[in-house]
Amino acid sequence: MRLRTPEIADAKRIWEIAARSRELDLNSSYCYLMWCRDHRETSIVAELDGRTVGFVTGYLRPSAPSALFVWQVAVDPDFRGRGVGLAMLGALEHRCSVTTIETTITRDNAGSIAMFTALARNRGTSIGRRPLFEPEDFPDGHSAEELYTIGPFPRIGAA
Ligand SMILES: CC(C)(COP(=O)(O)OP(=O)(O)OC[C@H]1O[C@@H](n2cnc3c(N)ncnc32)[C@H](O)[C@@H]1OP(=O)(O)O)[C@@H](O)C(=O)NCCC(=O)NCCS
């Protein structure tokens, strides 16, 4: 598996994987282009045999830049269950050298909850959950999104 920083040319395939995920909110194609331009250092794609099979888009929270907010993560359905999701998150945490990872997950997304729980377990750290966005915060009947915080991540060389 090759893990690398996305480029503008990756935005089409990222959009396609998001569309095929059946779980993610599909954002505009323009949005994924902007992510590959302006937030590429805090995002990652995974390639298998030269084909992009997964992505994570994220950003450092402006008010708390030691926290990486994972905006979207998806693995093409044909390549799930092989550790691609965990590998991308681990590599991104390492590259960004953040203290915590945050993400929001709907209550029914067992796969995503399992993946972030496995990340915390593998890195020997904690995972916490609290309400963030309620259905009434959305204009379109969207389900509640709970905020998961994973960390703190131990840093090599830290006292
Ligand atoms: C969530 C997702 C990214 C996981 O990708 P993946 O490459 O299949 O995950 P991994 O193979 O790295 O698995 C990581 C861990 O999660 C567990 N897991 C993954 N999918 C699971 C599922 N559907 N049900 C239960 N556990 C699951 C794995 O068993 C593994 O745990 P383990 O190390 O204890 O065995 C993928 O299922 C996906 O793209 N889903 C649709 C998009 C989505 O929901 N994104 C998250 C929105 S917040």
Side-chain angles (χ1 to χ4, degrees):
M1 189 190 323
R2 182 173 173 230
L3 299 167
R4 61 174 179 79
T5 303
E7 295 166 9
I8 283 176
D10 291 301
K12 274 187 190 173
R13 177 68 181 138
I14 290 176
W15 181 91
E16 197 175 274
I17 294 170
R20 269 167 63 82
S21 76
R22 292 188 292 273
E23 295 276 359
L24 295 182
D25 293 339
L26 182 61
N27 294 280
S28 71
S29 48
Y30 186 84
C31 184
Y32 295 98
L33 275 164
M34 290 307 287
W35 224 270
C36 290
R37 177 184 188 264
D38 286 345
H39 296 291
R40 57 190 298 273
E41 303 299 340
T42 48
S43 302
I44 197 164
V45 292
E47 277 180 12
L48 281 174
D49 297 328
R51 177 134 178 92
T52 301
V53 299
F55 75 88
V56 179
T57 48
Y59 63 88
L60 300 183
R61 292 191 61 212
S63 59
S66 63
L68 173 72
F69 187 86
V70 169
W71 176 53
Q72 289 194 313
V73 45
V75 173
D76 188 285
D78 295 341
F79 297 91
R80 289 183 191 167
R82 302 185 190 187
V84 175
L86 264 184
M88 291 191 296
L89 289 174
L92 200 53
E93 180 259 311
H94 186 74
R95 190 212 296 160
C96 298
S97 203
V98 286
T99 307
T100 55
I101 287 182
E102 295 185 1
T103 197
T104 70
I105 313 179
T106 53
R107 287 187 192 105
D108 60 354
N109 194 337
S112 185
I113 295 167
M115 180 179 61
F116 282 98
T117 303
L119 175 69
R121 189 186 60 236
N122 293 352
R123 297 287 278 116
T125 194
S126 332
I127 180 163
R129 180 186 64 173
R130 68 175 174 84
L132 185 61
F133 301 130
E134 299 300 334
E136 54 271 25
D137 294 325
F138 293 91
D140 57 359
H142 196 290
S143 303
E145 293 272 355
E146 295 182 314
L147 178 68
Y148 284 74
T149 303
I150 301 100
F153 293 106
R155 297 259 70 93
I156 293 165

